[in-house]
Amino acid sequence: MSDIKNIRNFCIIAHIDHGKSTLADRLLEFTGTISKKKMKDQVLDNMELERERGITIKSHSIRMSFKNHTLNLIDTPGHVDFSYEVSRTLSASEGALLVVDAAQGVEAQTVTNYLLAVDNNLKIIPIINKIDLPNADIENVKKQVIELTGCEEEEILLASAKSGDGIEDILNTIIENVPSPSFSKSNELKALIFDSIFDKYRGVIAYVRVYEGSIKPGMKIKFFSHDVYYDVDEVGHFVIDRKKATSLEEGEVGYVIANIRDIEHVLPGDTITTVKNSCTEALPGFQKIKPMVFSGLFPSDADDYDDLRTALEKLKLNDASLLFEPEVSDALGFGYRCGFLGLLHMEIIQERLEREFNLSIVTTSPNVKYLANLKDKTQVEVHRPALLPAPKILESILEPIVMAEILTPSEYIGNVMKICQDRRGKYKSTSYLSNSKVQLIYELPLGEIIFDFYDSIKSVSKGYASFDYTFKEYRESKLDKLDILINKEPVDALSMICSKKDSYHRGLALCKKLKELIPRQQIQIPIQASIGTRVIARTNIPAFRKNVTEKLYGGDVTRKRKLLEKQKKGKKRMRMIGKVEVPQEALLAVLKI
């Protein structure tokens, strides 16, 4: 056990791709935590997907030793969709390294993560990384960092995580400036669960930060949110892999194994205490996550329904923000309605289900949660367009509005503003962070930004703009529910809620797209877009047609007509019982519109 005065708990926060994982690699290498032989890039990113995409998806904890001090580092993700991972990490730390790219400067997620760290009263150490880049603009970036944090110029550390420059300065600054955990002198155990994983041999492994007391094997512990008791089997620290220890003491970060088989019992943000001498109040964890984007996940093979449920439960353990509930769709059968924090989060979950659990999945187009005010003065939540109440009982629809913060080089400001206006954005303010960097604040409907808003902003700014958003409120809007009917039957998976001014164009575009994607059948298939009972657009998929008159030659025209009439009657009979098969690409066509 190390003396509590010599413990430093800190995390690394930054915008996506500013070099957090590489900096973590250098810290591990410099402190001798990992040997040169075992060293590889992004050593903490242990998921194949993280290494492939070059992004951190999960927080990772590791323990290092330097100058008789124990340093607990928690590496955090940088993408806007994973800010809940960052909030949990911050609640388990006393300090944060704020990393800014020397070429890119301060970006949207840098600002958000900095404000999160300030809210948690962390000691912030500003670092300008990638100083060896040929296009590094160190003086300009220093001004941006001072503007953001209000620090002195000499407090900013310069480093290159790739070459290892400035790593010793960073470690010395952590020891000097980051406060040690406070000592409570209490015997009651209080430990915060900030993450957990499932091991098929050991059950649920909880990652904890101990605030008061200590945890030892053999102790009987209970979780605050529900009175379930467990005996501790093993405790330990993270040194690349799990390293067994005799106890976890106050101020330390580590893991607890207690043969927990029920996945639902371990909730990130919950407090662990002992049965005998239990504490009276829980630690202030982080708030319940509110999903922003909803989508249906259905197994391609109906027999995989139970496997999908087990896979989602295991993922939820590792990802507290994933919410799901059973759903039945006329078109796709049994599946789950899942809530995600954003489109990248949705994409990552889908890929993890396919890779880690070998499941083949059909996904419905993402949508946001609306609130519907009914004429009887009640309000209902609408998680998917098919559930929107009928117009005769509907008073008004409220949609979620977010406060969007966009940072862009000043020469692209016109292009970015045009995209925001097109997406029904409401301009709020402009402020210059430096001569070349502008911060735009807009109010935008969440439903307008969940498709390709981020991609559009990136493409008009040549990749330089960055974007972040926070939920603001629900606001009444003029919206329509657009239904798609294939062969006169509504397809619930293709319904969408959109603004009144866009509904006609979207309906027309969707009908044209579906005409290309749905294969021709023996009968003509009408595709219609309707709002309520009013059809606003229609196209037809022509039938395959056999030339029944080719064997006729010469003679009276009535012979031809007779054969064509006979064919027509046959087609009519087929239409009465005709079912249309809709491929997965057609269901995803909504995304492309």
Side-chain angles (χ1 to χ4, degrees), residues 390-409:
K392 62 173 183 261
I393 60 166
L394 188 64
E395 183 72 48
S396 60
I397 306 173
L398 307 177
E399 66 176 340
I401 301 292
V402 295
M403 195 59 99
E405 173 196 20
I406 302 158
L407 272 76
T408 174

Side-chain angles (χ1 to χ4, degrees), residues 12-23 42 45 50-57 75-80 82 99-110 113 127-130 133 161-162 344 454 458 463-466:
I12 305 178
I13 52 175
H15 189 81
I16 191 166
D17 210 22
H18 278 205
K20 293 180 303 302
S21 298
T22 315
L23 179 62
Q42 289 171 267
D45 293 346
E50 292 181 309
R51 309 183 68 76
E52 238 173 63
R53 288 176 172 241
I55 58 173
T56 304
I57 294 166
D75 180 27
T76 62
H79 194 278
V80 51
F82 302 110
V99 179
V100 181
D101 187 312
Q104 308 270 358
V106 169
E107 299 206 52
Q109 200 60 30
T110 320
N113 286 341
I127 297 167
I128 296 178
N129 188 23
K130 306 189 186 182
L133 283 178
K162 198 165 187 184
L344 178 72
Y454 188 59
K458 280 285 186 198
Y464 284 111
S466 60

Side-chain angles (χ1 to χ4, degrees), residues 166-193:
I167 299 297
E168 192 171 359
D169 290 350
I170 293 172
L171 287 164
N172 288 328
T173 310
I174 291 167
I175 289 173
E176 286 161 26
N177 293 2
V178 174
S180 58
S182 53
F183 187 57
S184 68
K185 298 179 184 155
S186 165
N187 292 329
E188 295 174 352
L189 168 65
K190 263 192 190 179
L192 177 79
I193 303 173

Side-chain angles (χ1 to χ4, degrees), residues 45-93:
D45 293 346
N46 50 15
M47 228 185 280
E48 188 189 334
L49 231 141
E50 292 181 309
R51 309 183 68 76
E52 238 173 63
R53 288 176 172 241
I55 58 173
T56 304
I57 294 166
K58 287 293 303 162
S59 299
H60 301 280
S61 176
I62 195 148
R63 180 185 170 102
M64 302 176 282
S65 295
F66 184 69
K67 294 188 174 174
N68 295 326
H69 283 70
T70 299
L71 311 180
N72 289 312
L73 155 68
I74 307 175
D75 180 27
T76 62
H79 194 278
V80 51
D81 281 7
F82 302 110
S83 52
Y84 63 96
E85 287 279 341
V86 181
S87 72
R88 295 212 304 254
T89 304
L90 296 175
S91 58
S93 310

Side-chain angles (χ1 to χ4, degrees), residues 293-297 312 322-325 327 336-340:
V293 174
F294 294 87
S295 174
L297 297 183
L312 284 168
L322 174 67
L323 294 180
F324 59 92
E325 56 186 34
E327 178 185 33
Y336 286 93
R337 186 96 198 138
C338 300
F340 307 98

Side-chain angles (χ1 to χ4, degrees), residues 2 71 98 156 190 203 237 248 261 301 425 448 463 469 479-480 484 486 531 561 564 567 579 585:
S2 38
L71 311 180
L98 181 73
I156 301 172
K190 263 192 190 179
H237 306 112
L248 276 184
R261 290 286 158 193
D301 182 350
E448 295 284 349
Y469 64 88
L479 301 169
D480 277 328
I484 299 296
I486 296 177
I531 294 168
R561 232 176 251 154
L564 290 171
Q567 184 185 35
K579 282 269 186 206
E585 299 84 70

